Amino acid sequence: MRSPRGLPRLAAGLALVAALGCTSGNGDNGDNTAPTHSPSASASARAESTPPTPTPADPVSLPALMRREHRGSDLRLGAVRVRTDAYTQYAVTYRSNGLTISGIMNVPRGEGPFPALVLAHGYIDPDVYTTGRGMPREQDLLARNGYVVLHTDYRNHAGSDDDPDNDVNLRLGYTEDVINAVHALRSAGRPDVDDGRIGLLGRSMGGGVVYNALVVAPGLVDAAVVFAPVSSRPQENIDQFQRPEGDPLVAEIEAAHGTPEENPEFWRQVSPLTYVDRVTEPLLIHHGTADDTCPLAWTRATVAAFEAAGKDVELRTYRGEGHTFGPRWPDSMDTTMAFFERRLR
């Protein structure tokens, strides 16, 4: 994975992991000087009944994103990129909390409105990434089956605006961009988009983005599907993908947020597992048993957390399939479309 574009800034960015430093609060006024007089009985009663001040969330955290007003708007269709017998693909841009984000949108032929899916792609080095790259098979098949498909490039990719602190802030900005893609679809008022039927689909790193979106913005969409997702614990992703390569970004992340041992609260607040009780949407997960990029054990741990919280989650495993899916990909997509058919239509 590549080096960061800039030094840490308390903002948002997702995928690698970053630490959530938190300031402790004990509910007093910060003055440790003994009082010069005894408090009245009523004052004592008020003090006892006053709840402790909650520990403030780190500005780089899922709780911080939960409290943020997400502004996705100004969806604009640009040049036609592809015309097929089933759909037209456009270059698009939209606004995500002040940034312009690029992407592509496939619009089926025929009379709408059509249900819509926002796609969150996996990791591709932004230096080589091109617009719409990441899930071409899914983009094509889903549009041919009657879905408007909005594939976001994310910030720092293709024609999107730059967020120099995104990487060191665990790429939480990608979560904002996916949430705001949904808001942009809804606010566009397009007659070909049924804004009451919208789902999310993510793969690999994009699966982690979808997990985050579900906990940050419950009720945003109607259903979600992820393929071969990364770990729900960001520190495991760092240990799997970056630390073995000697990525200098690891040192920057830990300098900004602390290691999991130094600042466990930060790492707790950047894991969607901490907030799985907030999820309201059904989730379908596909994972191959031979995936040596994102181990199946990661997904089993995520599913266990969802199940323990009483959430609607389903895991489909595919014997012998690796990270990118080969022979069983058609089966997985049939299952995906049947899932969305039940949940969105």
Side-chain angles (χ1 to χ4, degrees), residues 150-232:
L150 174 56
H151 182 283
T152 176
D153 289 336
Y154 307 135
R155 61 193 62 195
N156 297 347
H157 290 68
S160 299
D161 284 346
D162 191 49
D163 177 357
D165 302 321
N166 186 60
D167 285 351
V168 79
N169 287 339
L170 302 189
R171 300 176 186 159
L172 287 174
Y174 298 167
T175 299
E176 293 186 81
D177 296 339
V178 165
I179 291 171
N180 287 322
V182 176
H183 287 309
L185 272 174
R186 287 209 168 100
S187 65
R190 294 187 56 84
D192 46 17
V193 174
D194 184 343
D195 61 14
R197 296 185 293 165
I198 299 180
L200 298 178
L201 189 150
R203 123 164 302 282
S204 192
M205 181 188 73
V209 174
V210 169
Y211 289 159
N212 283 355
L214 294 178
V215 302
V216 168
L220 176 72
V221 296
D222 300 295
V225 174
V226 299
F227 282 79
V230 294
S231 175
S232 297

Side-chain angles (χ1 to χ4, degrees), residues 308-332:
K311 303 304 175 180
D312 185 350
V313 61
E314 178 182 357
L315 171 61
R316 294 292 185 99
T317 60
Y318 300 83
R319 185 172 298 280
E321 280 288 0
H323 189 59
T324 57
F325 279 67
R328 300 294 304 280
W329 181 79
D331 295 340
S332 71

Side-chain angles (χ1 to χ4, degrees), residues 2 12 28 30 37 77 90 105 118-119 129 152 154 164 169 220 229 238 246 298 301 334:
R2 70 195 189 97
D28 61 22
H37 62 278
L77 274 62
Y90 300 89
M105 192 162 90
V118 172
L119 271 56
Y129 180 89
T152 176
Y154 307 135
N169 287 339
L220 176 72
I238 287 179
W298 286 352
D334 286 345

Side-chain angles (χ1 to χ4, degrees), residues 132-148:
R133 182 175 172 182
M135 288 188 282
R137 297 180 299 180
E138 291 82 357
Q139 295 168 15
D140 177 79
L141 182 63
L142 292 167
R144 289 182 180 279
N145 280 272
Y147 293 93
V148 170

Side-chain angles (χ1 to χ4, degrees), residues 231-253:
S231 175
S232 297
R233 296 182 175 91
Q235 60 266 41
E236 291 184 335
N237 296 319
I238 287 179
D239 289 342
Q240 173 83 346
F241 301 118
Q242 296 172 271
R243 203 180 299 278
E245 298 178 0
D247 188 343
L249 181 57
V250 176
E252 294 197 39
I253 290 171

